[in-house]
Amino acid sequence: DAVAAGVGRTLDVAGAEARVAELEGRLIEAREQGDRAKDGLRVLLGLPEGATLTLTDSLEALMAPGQADGSDAGALAARPHPELLRLDATDRALASQAEALDLAFWPSVDLFAQAGVQFPEHFAAEDGVGIPYAVGAKLTWELFDGDLRRRQGVELAAKRAELSHGREAIAEDLERQRLDAIHAARTAQAAAVAAARRLETAQTYLKAAQEAVAVGAG
């Protein structure tokens, strides 16, 4: 309005717009950093993405019911990361080994059969062709193994527990990385908008300077 009334300068307006654009860019960046910190806190607390988070002086007040012990790994992406899929497959393999170890305690039955052709039929004077065969079953039950089976079971349980804790840590780290990438993209987009406004302002400065040079006043 001041420029239109002839009492203001275009350069002053351009400078004000540049400062406003810079402050808007900083404000958007600060908001994204705040949202990133809150999302990271949600992951650590095991809260789903987008859950309402009201900051208080107590972490217990932020936890959902049943999550006070921190046992839940938190919200994951709809499509699991390949590393998580690998860990899940390893856990299933360990579970199968534990099941096979438990089943090994019970007795096993082996069935066998064999047949052949024997000539001569038997070790006698007369000739002939005999067909010997044998069919049977064998029962095996190992009652004492020197506590080996129990120790192997404990080892498998320890491996599964270690795998579970490792998976939880990796899942939280992947979730934080995903959220950081989202906020970085938003920040970059806001910075691009602010940069476009600063470019427009710079072009206004340049045009004014060229006009001043053209009339010999700059």
Side-chain angles (χ1 to χ4, degrees):
D1 293 340
V3 174
V7 295
R9 295 189 308 167
T10 304
L11 291 180
D12 294 337
V13 176
E17 290 181 349
R19 288 191 293 272
V20 170
E22 182 179 359
L23 291 176
E24 287 180 349
R26 292 181 179 179
L27 176 61
I28 294 175
E29 183 178 359
R31 286 176 178 173
E32 288 298 331
Q33 290 179 355
D35 292 340
R36 178 186 303 176
K38 290 181 179 179
D39 286 337
L41 184 58
R42 289 190 186 95
V43 174
L44 293 176
L45 296 177
L47 298 176
E49 182 179 355
T52 302
L53 186 64
T54 303
L55 299 181
T56 65
D57 295 332
S58 174
L59 289 177
E60 295 181 356
L62 298 176
M63 294 185 179
Q67 295 178 335
D69 57 350
S71 57
D72 293 339
L76 298 177
R79 299 179 61 183
H81 192 274
E83 179 65 16
L84 299 181
L85 295 178
R86 185 187 68 82
L87 294 176
D88 290 340
T90 304
D91 182 70
R92 290 193 298 269
L94 292 175
S96 298
Q97 292 182 20
E99 183 180 0
L101 189 63
D102 292 337
L103 294 176
F105 170 76
W106 301 104
S108 60
V109 178
D110 298 326
L111 302 178
F112 64 90
Q114 62 182 16
V117 177
Q118 177 176 299
F119 179 82
E121 183 178 358
H122 48 73
F123 297 101
E126 64 271 12
D127 295 333
V129 178
I131 303 178
Y133 64 91
V135 177
K138 182 176 66 173
L139 177 66
T140 305
W141 194 354
E142 185 178 3
L143 297 178
F144 181 72
D145 60 356
D147 203 30
L148 177 61
R149 186 183 298 107
R150 187 191 66 82
R151 294 177 184 273
Q152 290 177 342
V154 172
E155 181 182 3
L156 289 175
K159 288 183 178 180
R160 293 194 66 188
E162 180 183 3
L163 188 67
S164 176
H165 293 303
R167 186 192 188 285
E168 180 178 351
I170 292 177
E172 291 181 355
D173 183 64
L174 291 174
E175 180 68 7
R176 284 194 294 268
Q177 291 181 20
R178 185 181 71 87
L179 294 175
D180 287 345
I182 292 176
H183 291 299
R186 292 177 181 174
T187 302
Q189 184 178 7
V193 174
R197 294 192 61 179
R198 287 195 295 269
L199 175 61
E200 183 179 357
T201 302
Q203 290 175 344
T204 302
Y205 272 110
L206 176 62
K207 181 179 179 181
Q210 290 174 341
E211 292 176 352
V213 172
V215 298

